[in-house]
Amino acid sequence: MNLHSLLCAAMVGASASLMPLPVKAADEAPAVRQMLRTELYFTAIDAAQWDTFLAEVVTPRFPDGLTWYDVHGQWRGPSGKPEKLPSRLLIVLHADNRNNERALVEVGALFKQRFGYSVLRASAKVEASDPDWTTDRVNRNPQLTPQSRFRP
């Protein structure tokens, strides 16, 4: 092979690597599901206690995922004036079903039992999608499956 042929082959190979990757077909896009986004507001406890609470109480009830943040809260204290309160915000995306409702109530009750503080809860309907939420995975998962389809 002469030098000209080698250069042409190298240029073709290099340009092929610059070609755009194939885009998923529209029918392969993740399904959008009607879910609830629940926020639970906890008073901040020691980091080790929080990690234990997450591992023993929250994660077993919501194994498919959750998010939490250290946040700063403010509330009207007994004096009538604003009081600052270090807090943690836990966010769970889940299907609207009895299993998840029971799990949320249990999380709040167990936190109050262990640490003496109530948990504020707020939920809103959302649309969510995740490529990992295959039909089979959703149908077998109480965190993701609406009550009408979930069979424990």
Side-chain angles (χ1 to χ4, degrees):
M1 194 178 254
N2 65 29
L3 181 60
H4 183 278
S5 298
L6 284 173
L7 286 174
C8 286
M11 288 174 49
V12 168
S15 65
S17 68
L18 298 175
M19 301 287 258
L21 296 174
V23 177
K24 276 187 164 184
D27 59 350
E28 293 181 38
V32 174
R33 302 186 183 282
Q34 298 299 313
M35 306 285 277
L36 290 178
R37 179 182 194 258
T38 296
E39 299 175 351
L40 299 174
Y41 294 82
F42 301 84
T43 190
I45 55 174
D46 174 74
Q49 289 176 313
W50 177 250
D51 288 343
T52 299
F53 185 77
L54 280 175
E56 293 176 359
V57 174
V58 182
T59 301
R61 287 166 175 81
F62 296 101
D64 219 69
L66 54 94
T67 301
W68 66 270
Y69 300 96
D70 286 322
V71 296
H72 304 279
Q74 179 175 303
W75 66 294
R76 185 187 314 236
S79 69
K81 295 184 180 179
E83 292 186 22
K84 306 271 191 266
L85 180 67
S87 305
R88 290 204 171 87
L89 171 61
L90 177 78
I91 302 169
V92 182
L93 295 179
H94 60 89
D96 186 6
N97 66 43
R98 287 188 307 263
N99 187 63
N100 290 327
E101 175 60 27
R102 182 178 58 251
L104 291 165
V105 169
E106 290 171 353
V107 167
L110 289 168
F111 189 85
K112 185 166 186 172
Q113 179 184 352
R114 286 189 188 188
F115 305 109
Y117 297 99
S118 295
V119 175
L120 175 72
R121 175 178 156 187
S123 295
K125 291 181 181 181
V126 296
E127 291 183 346
S129 66
D130 186 325
D132 291 337
W133 292 346
T134 62
T135 301
D136 184 51
R137 181 175 178 187
V138 168
N139 287 340
R140 292 182 293 113
N141 187 321
Q143 183 175 341
L144 302 175
T145 304
Q147 187 63 41
S148 61
R149 294 177 45 205
F150 177 63
R151 306 276 190 266

